[in-house]
Amino acid sequence: MSSPLSSSGSSPSRQRTSPSLRSALAREDFVELLESEVFIDVNKLRKCARHGIPDELRGEVWKFLLGVEKSDRSNEFTQRRARYESYREIDKENVDVSKRVRGEVNRYLLRTKKEGLLDSHTAPAIFEAVICAYLNCNNHIEYAPALVQICAPFVITMKAEYDVYSCFERLVDILNESSLATNINKRIAQFLSYFRTLLPELYNYFEEEELDVGEWASSWLRNLLAKELPTSCLLTLWDVYFAQTDFIEFHPFVCLAILQHLRDSLEDLEQSEIRSMLLRLPKMNMLRIVSQAHNIRSEIQTRYGSAVASRGV
């Protein structure tokens, strides 16, 4: 299965370039890497992806970053065919789950209708098939509405349903492994400890307003902000995450950076308004948020010790 990507010519000077030109230059970098016929340099791909991935290339890049596609392209067609056949043979029937997925997808489509990123006629069937297939293969995992939000970026960015499944399976497995390794209550407790230390006034304000911290913090930490961020922000954040090998450990510091960024706005709100904002975050410059998250991580390393900070929460 050959790549449909093609180079758009030589790169002009990178000095004093406009945002649109920088975007075009970045696209050329990705195209050049993806067009390699023998071997994809995933390390270089990760380096490029840390600054965001062009929309039209995101799905292809994510497959390599998540390890769904192999860097060695010598058996590319055979490997893709094997993934296709494997997915085709999975039982995708689950009446109870299908009904629940359909309801959550309809709510998701209604909420994101203005973004126009999904076809409301074809997308629901893809969500149902992928999520039912995953749960049928993992009987120990129960359906949760968050699975729809976690699946959505892959439905948006992937052309083939079996690619959606492969990437969704990989990410949910990573999240489940993380949950097994560290109890969510322990992660929330550590996160709140950092929150109280870094943003004491905001933390105290939340307590004064009797905000249910467990409600939003649990969702933020469990689901990589899939339920809370606007889609464009989520896609950019996941570009950065998938470019890292430790994104699960890094994620809590992004959450802290978001709180820091929204601090002034949050302190002007009452309980119900705070809750609404935390569960439906506004648009933000996610690359700036990520940059601030690195600073926060460094600060925590200084305060708590590098070993604690490197483990995240």
Side-chain angles (χ1 to χ4, degrees):
M1 194 178 291
S2 60
S3 170
L5 307 175
S6 59
S7 176
S8 55
S10 59
S11 300
S13 170
R14 292 175 182 260
Q15 295 182 348
R16 292 188 176 182
T17 52
S18 67
S20 60
L21 184 53
R22 283 198 299 271
S23 177
L25 294 171
R27 184 186 184 282
E28 288 187 5
D29 291 337
F30 282 106
V31 169
E32 183 178 352
L33 289 168
L34 292 171
E35 284 189 331
S36 174
E37 296 181 359
V38 179
F39 180 83
I40 299 292
D41 191 329
V42 177
N43 287 330
K44 286 185 178 180
L45 209 55
R46 290 185 188 281
K47 186 176 181 181
C48 291
R50 288 171 188 154
H51 306 288
I53 303 170
D55 291 343
E56 69 275 16
L57 304 180
R58 181 172 282 117
E60 193 71 15
V61 174
W62 277 8
K63 286 186 285 183
F64 285 102
L65 298 183
L66 287 169
V68 168
E69 292 276 23
K70 306 302 180 185
S71 56
D72 183 352
R73 307 193 86 161
S74 58
N75 295 313
E76 181 179 36
F77 180 81
T78 302
Q79 291 167 353
R80 287 186 178 180
R81 185 69 187 181
R83 283 198 297 110
Y84 169 78
E85 292 293 344
S86 176
Y87 175 67
R88 188 171 66 87
E89 293 174 3
I90 298 174
D91 177 19
K92 303 172 185 66
E93 294 294 325
N94 191 319
V95 177
D96 179 56
V97 170
S98 289
K99 183 178 180 180
R100 296 165 74 182
V101 169
R102 198 177 306 122
E104 188 63 29
V105 169
N106 287 337
R107 285 186 286 274
Y108 175 83
L109 291 173
L110 186 63
R111 179 165 58 84
T112 60
K113 184 177 180 180
K114 290 183 179 180
E115 296 176 276
L117 295 171
L118 288 171
D119 185 333
S120 61
H121 299 291
T122 59
I126 298 173
F127 278 99
E128 286 182 47
V130 168
I131 294 173
C132 286
Y134 182 80
L135 294 178
N136 286 343
C137 290
N138 297 271
N139 295 324
H140 61 289
I141 297 175
E142 295 184 1
Y143 169 77
L147 291 174
V148 170
Q149 282 79 22
I150 293 170
C151 187
F154 302 120
V155 179
I156 291 168
T157 59
M158 309 284 168
K159 295 179 180 179
E161 187 174 305
Y162 73 96
D163 282 334
V164 174
Y165 176 79
S166 297
C167 292
F168 173 75
E169 176 186 43
R170 177 66 182 138
L171 181 57
V172 176
D173 283 350
I174 291 171
L175 294 175
N176 286 332
E177 289 167 10
S178 173
S179 295
L180 289 173
T182 309
N183 179 274
I184 185 61
N185 292 328
K186 183 177 179 181
R187 293 165 64 193
I188 291 174
Q190 184 66 82
F191 173 75
L192 294 179
S193 174
Y194 292 162
F195 179 18
R196 184 169 55 246
T197 300
L198 290 166
L199 300 165
E201 292 182 0
L202 182 61
Y203 181 90
N204 290 334
Y205 184 64
F206 279 11
E207 287 207 322
E208 289 172 11
E209 290 294 316
E210 299 181 342
L211 193 70
D212 183 358
V213 175
E215 179 187 20
W216 62 269
S218 176
S219 179
W220 280 28
L221 294 174
R222 283 180 188 270
N223 306 312
L224 301 181
L225 297 167
K227 295 175 66 176
E228 293 81 14
L229 278 175
T231 306
S232 59
C233 296
L234 182 66
L235 295 177
T236 299
L237 179 61
W238 284 14
D239 288 345
V240 177
Y241 279 3
F242 298 162
Q244 300 178 0
T245 57
D246 66 341
F247 67 87
I248 293 294
E249 288 75 21
F250 181 62
H251 176 64
F253 305 108
V254 170
C255 295
L256 292 168
I258 289 173
L259 289 172
Q260 189 174 68
H261 176 74
L262 297 176
R263 174 175 51 193
D264 292 343
S265 297
L266 289 167
E267 288 178 347
D268 287 337
L269 303 176
E270 296 180 352
Q271 184 200 69
S272 61
E273 296 169 319
I274 296 171
R275 180 180 179 277
S276 295
M277 177 175 281
L278 294 176
L279 296 180
R280 287 288 181 268
L281 293 167
K283 282 192 174 183
M284 294 169 277
N285 184 324
M286 295 313 296
L287 295 181
R288 288 184 182 175
I289 294 292
V290 167
S291 177
Q292 184 58 25
H294 283 292
N295 294 336
I296 290 173
R297 190 179 202 175
S298 297
E299 183 176 346
I300 288 177
Q301 285 177 337
T302 301
R303 294 192 186 194
Y304 288 83
S306 58
V308 173
S310 65
R311 288 196 303 269
V313 294

